Structures are given as C-alpha cells and as structure tokens.
C-alpha cells in the first residue's frame, strides 16, 4: 500500500502540524523513506512513530508536504479521485462559469479547475497533481462531459516544483468551441472567454457574486478602475449605470468592447493608467456616483506590503474625493499578504484624509466556489468593501 511510504517530522514540524496548516516545509522533515518519490502520497509520522495524517510529497519545492483529507485506508489515487468528485459535486447550483476545484481548500493541493460553459481550464501546480495529469483529464471528461479541456500550466510557481511552464489544449471533442472564444452565461451576460491567453485560467471568477452585489447597488455615472475585460463594468451597465472602464491593457478593453456589443450595452473604454486618470479627474473637477477599484495585487510579497499599502491608499483616497455625496465605493484587494484588518485600516486612513463620511455596507470575500481554509488564513485573500460615501 502506498501509505507505507512515509516521511517523519521534526519536533518543530509537529508544532506546525498541530496548528493545522496544510503545508510542511522541507526544513521540518526529519527523515524521508528511501522509497518515496516526488508526487507520492505518503503517511506522515511524528517522531514518536504515531501517524500524523496523509500528504502529497514534493522532492523539489521547499513546501515538501501538502496534507490531503485522506486516512491511511483511503491514501491512494482512488481516494484523491473521490475528493475530485466531491469538489465538483459541491458546485451544484453555481453558474455555468465557475470554479470546480480550488486547491487545498478542496483537499487537492495545487489543483485549480475552472468551468467555462462547455469547456474546462485547469492548472496543476504541484508534483502530486502534475504526475496524475493524464488521468485527471479522463476523470474530468467523465465527471463533467466537457467538450474542451485546456491546461494553463504557464505559471512560474511550477518551476519551484521542477515542472515545465507550458499551456495548451489537452482535449477537444468534435464539437469543441474555439479555445480563444468560449461562450458562457454569467450574471445575466453572454460572455466570451479566451482560455489560452486570458489571465489565470481565462478570467477572474472569484468576483462573480461581488459583481452581482455591486450591480444591485450601482447607479449614475460609474467608473470601473482596472476593469480588465469588464466583469464589473458590464454588470453595472446591464443594471442601468452609465459606465466608463479604465485599464492600461488595450487587449483587455478590446474584449470588453466586443462583450458590450454582444450584450447590447454601451461602456466607454479608456486605455489609461488608473493613477494618472484619477489625478486628471481630480484636476478637472470630475465627479462620479459609483467607483469600483479592483486592482492587481499591489502587495505581491511580504516585502512589498508597505509599498502595496501606500498604493491602495492612494487610489482609495483619490476615489473618495471623486465621489458625489451618497456615492458608492467598491474597493477590493486580492493581495494574500494584506489581511482583512490591514485593508480596513487602509480605508480608515483614506476616509480620514479625504474627510469623507464612509459607511461600510458590505464586507465581502471570494465567491463560495473559491472557499478559504480556516487553518490557512492567507487563503482568505480577496477583500471587498462596499461603502456609501457622504
Ligand atoms: N477588475 C477586473 C480584474 C482586474 S485585473 C475584473 O473584475 O475582472 C488587473 C487589471 O489591472 C489588468 O487588466 C491590468 O491590465 C490592469 N492594470 C494594472 N495596472 C494598471 C494601471 N496602473 N492602470 C490601469 N490598469 C492597470
């Protein structure tokens, strides 16, 4: 049986295990069985010899062990595939574009699978998942009936696992859609997705429910900053707001425009740097009724947290100044290195500096198909505050 392969923790590793975090670093390993290979399911042993659970082993990454919710009886590939089936089952009732598998939170470390209507786009970011990729594709076909399956393994973290950085179509049925133009309905919109060259697996599906929540409140002249291909902008336009979208990427705005046309909506697309644009609006005395700020992660690493906090504060301060009384601010951060409390403090400081009365109406997170793991607080990465500003 595979779980006879085992890895023993040091005393420090045991402390980490007791905290419940799903990862163990290589420096916290005391011994690795001579039969253990990268990608194996292993039994984790305490120095006393007792069992400490089941994990996937990596022979390259500093993150040597990633726990999986299996027992010594179920520690085999069938056990992993049953976790896959359960993860997909939990998405019943989600829209036709949604996340089916969200890594550690679903007990499948390093595996991301997103569904876009008839197609799937996945990432295998660990040796454990990469080694099982061929079977994964077969299982996904059987479980979902997908007509097209695309691998987006073009993520640099794969290098830490000794894996190639690559992407491509892995399965296409005779009636498969064009991977660069996959259609799916989402929050009342008919959208096209580029699974080969779109960001991440093709789009940011973690904001789906937040877009619906914002559409329900958006009004008047609305500005979607860092719009990408228009997730928030199109939802607000459909709800009747007069929307301008700002992004530095012409390609993203071109897609936004196509999507708007297809849905009979009108969105002004501005190819600009948001920092400069907000400054220019302030100089011109422009005002808005709704502003959405959903930037890329400004704090990408622990060292970048201070600079990141300053950048968040700058755009929030400028946005607050541009809102008419009664206006709506939607402010987001997807930086895992900035926790909820720090993001709140950022808004407190921006509100004080702007001398505006900021009523927080909703504190939101990623959609429920991107669950966070209680014992890994950094997985609660997406913070969204919706506030009314006087
Ligand atoms: N709000 C989007 C996701 C944003 S992704 C959604 O709902 O899907 C981040 C976007 O910010 C990218 O499209 C990128 O092109 C853009 N971007 C990054 N820095 C920028 C800047 N300084 N000014 C304008 N756009 C920027």
């Amino acid at each position: 049986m595979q779980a006879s392969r085992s890895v023993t923790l040091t005393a420090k590793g045991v402390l980490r295990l007791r905290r419940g975090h799903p990862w163990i670093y290589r420096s916290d390993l005391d011994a690795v069985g001579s039969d253990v290979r990268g990608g194996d399911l292993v039994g984790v042993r305490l120095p006393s010899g007792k069992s400490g659970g089941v994990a996937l082993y990596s022979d390259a990454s500093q993150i040597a062990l990633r726990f999986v919710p299996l027992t010594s009886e179920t520690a085999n590939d069938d056990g992993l595939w049953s976790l896959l089936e359960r993860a997909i089952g939990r998405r019943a009732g989600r829209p036709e574009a949604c996340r089916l598998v969200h890594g550690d939170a679903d007990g499948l470390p390093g595996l991301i699978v997103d569904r876009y209507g008839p197609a799937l786009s996945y990432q295998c970011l660990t040796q454990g998942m990469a080694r099982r990729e061929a079977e994964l594709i077969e299982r996904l076909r059987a479980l979902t009936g997908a007509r097209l399956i695309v691998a987006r393994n073009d993520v640099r973290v794969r290098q830490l696992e000794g894996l190639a950085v690559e992407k491509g179509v892995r399965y296409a049925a005779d009636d498969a859609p064009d991977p660069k133009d996959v259609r799916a309905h989402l929050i009342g919109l008919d959208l096209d997705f580029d699974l080969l060259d779109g960001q991440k697996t093709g789009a940011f599906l973690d904001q789906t429910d937040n877009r619906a929540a914002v559409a329900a409140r958006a009004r008047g002249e609305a500005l979607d900053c860092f719009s990408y291909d228009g997730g928030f902008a199109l939802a607000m336009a459909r709800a009747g707001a007069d929307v301008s979208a700002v992004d530095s990427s012409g390609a993203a705005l071109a897609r936004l425009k196509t999507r708007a046309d297809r849905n009979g909506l009108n969105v002004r697309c501005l190819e600009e740097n948001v920092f400069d644009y907000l400054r220019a609006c302030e100089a011109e005395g422009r005002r808005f009724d709704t502003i959405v700020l959903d930037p890329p992660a400004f704090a990408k690493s622990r060292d970048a947290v201070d600079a990141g906090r300053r950048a968040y504060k700058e755009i929030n301060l400028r946005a607050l100044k541009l809102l008419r009384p009664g206006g709506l601010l939607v402010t987001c951060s997807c930086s895992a290195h900035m926790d909820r409390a720090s993001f709140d403090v950022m808004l407190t400081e921006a509100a004080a500096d702007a001398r505006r009365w900021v009523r927080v109406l909703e504190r939101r997170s990623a959609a429920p198909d991107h669950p966070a793991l209680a014992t890994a607080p950094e997985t609660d990465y997406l913070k969204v505050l919706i506030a009314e500003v006087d």
Side-chain angles (χ1 to χ4, degrees):
M1 185 178 80
Q2 250 192 339
S4 66
R5 294 182 188 149
S6 72
V7 172
T8 310
L9 302 182
T10 62
K12 197 163 145 263
V14 175
L15 291 179
R16 200 172 161 82
L17 173 120
R18 295 246 155 85
R19 282 203 297 272
H21 198 280
W23 301 351
I24 298 281
Y25 290 95
R26 192 163 307 281
S27 54
D28 294 333
L29 300 188
D30 185 39
V32 177
S34 57
D35 54 348
V36 172
R37 303 278 167 268
D40 279 351
L41 273 167
V42 295
V44 180
R45 306 245 163 264
L46 310 186
S48 64
K50 278 196 192 145
S51 167
V54 176
L56 283 164
Y57 177 74
S58 168
D59 65 15
S61 169
Q62 282 312 306
I63 303 168
L65 295 175
R66 296 168 196 261
F67 284 97
V68 291
L70 296 175
T71 63
S72 51
E73 287 78 45
T74 57
N76 50 49
D77 281 16
D78 282 345
L80 284 176
W81 300 127
S82 73
L83 293 174
L84 177 72
E85 190 170 347
R86 283 174 55 201
I88 293 173
R90 280 194 285 277
R91 271 59 180 194
R94 289 298 297 164
E96 60 178 23
C98 74
R99 177 148 296 184
L100 295 180
V101 183
H102 189 57
D104 292 295
D106 281 306
L108 293 162
L111 179 64
I112 300 294
V113 183
D114 285 340
R115 175 176 68 199
Y116 295 91
L120 300 177
S121 177
Y122 71 82
Q123 298 177 323
C124 285
L125 306 177
T126 53
Q127 290 181 352
M129 292 301 146
R131 200 173 85 181
R132 296 170 175 84
E133 200 167 327
E135 173 132 23
L136 169 72
I137 293 165
E138 292 310 310
R139 299 268 173 174
L140 288 173
R141 279 181 60 188
L143 288 168
T144 68
R147 314 312 294 154
L148 173 76
I149 302 183
V150 174
R152 287 298 302 270
N153 291 330
D154 52 328
V155 188
R156 272 204 302 214
V157 288
R158 279 185 43 115
Q159 289 171 344
L160 304 177
E161 295 273 345
L163 300 168
V165 175
E166 39 91 43
K167 61 180 172 182
V169 172
R170 291 290 190 272
Y171 166 73
D174 290 343
D175 57 351
D178 174 355
K180 293 188 70 64
D181 184 20
V182 174
R183 302 291 177 80
H185 284 94
L186 199 57
I187 56 169
L189 295 160
D190 171 13
L191 299 178
D192 56 287
F193 296 92
D194 181 348
L195 303 198
L196 282 175
D197 292 307
Q199 293 217 28
K200 309 271 177 179
T201 65
F204 299 101
L205 298 174
D206 51 357
Q207 291 278 28
T208 297
D209 300 40
N210 299 328
R211 291 177 179 132
V214 169
R217 296 182 181 277
R219 51 187 177 264
E221 279 181 76
L223 185 65
D224 180 10
C225 297
F226 311 94
S227 65
Y228 185 49
D229 53 13
F232 282 103
L234 295 165
M236 293 194 291
R238 182 168 174 275
D242 169 15
V243 185
S244 301
V246 189
D247 200 283
S248 53
S249 159
L253 292 173
R255 184 168 290 273
L256 195 169
K257 183 82 182 60
T258 314
R259 288 174 158 193
D261 290 347
R262 176 167 305 130
N263 289 277
L265 298 170
N266 195 16
V267 173
R268 227 167 281 111
C269 292
L270 309 166
E271 189 175 336
E272 305 252 15
N273 179 320
V274 166
F275 289 83
D276 297 341
Y277 184 73
L278 293 178
R279 214 172 289 134
C281 287
E282 197 178 326
E284 290 163 17
R286 291 280 311 272
R287 291 292 177 268
F288 297 92
D289 302 290
T290 303
I291 299 183
V292 177
L293 301 172
D294 180 26
F298 285 149
K300 283 210 168 61
S301 65
R302 254 178 221 130
D303 301 341
V305 167
D306 282 341
R309 195 173 288 143
R310 281 193 297 277
Y312 284 113
K313 185 173 165 193
E314 176 174 346
I315 55 170
N316 279 271
L317 176 58
R318 290 190 188 284
L320 285 173
K321 289 183 179 168
L322 292 176
L323 281 168
R324 294 195 177 100
L328 194 75
L329 175 71
V330 179
T331 182
C332 315
S333 164
C334 59
S335 299
H337 295 284
M338 189 179 204
D339 62 17
R340 250 165 225 284
S342 323
F343 193 57
D344 283 356
V345 168
M346 180 286 299
L347 186 63
T348 305
E349 292 178 1
D353 287 8
R355 306 202 146 273
R356 301 296 297 264
W357 200 257
V358 178
R359 266 189 302 280
V360 178
L361 306 178
E362 292 187 51
R363 324 173 78 83
R364 304 184 59 95
S365 60
D369 49 23
H370 293 61
L373 198 59
T375 48
E378 69 275 19
T379 58
D380 181 24
Y381 65 100
L382 183 63
K383 284 83 56 189
V384 180
L385 298 172
I386 304 182
E388 199 173 54
V389 181
D390 281 342

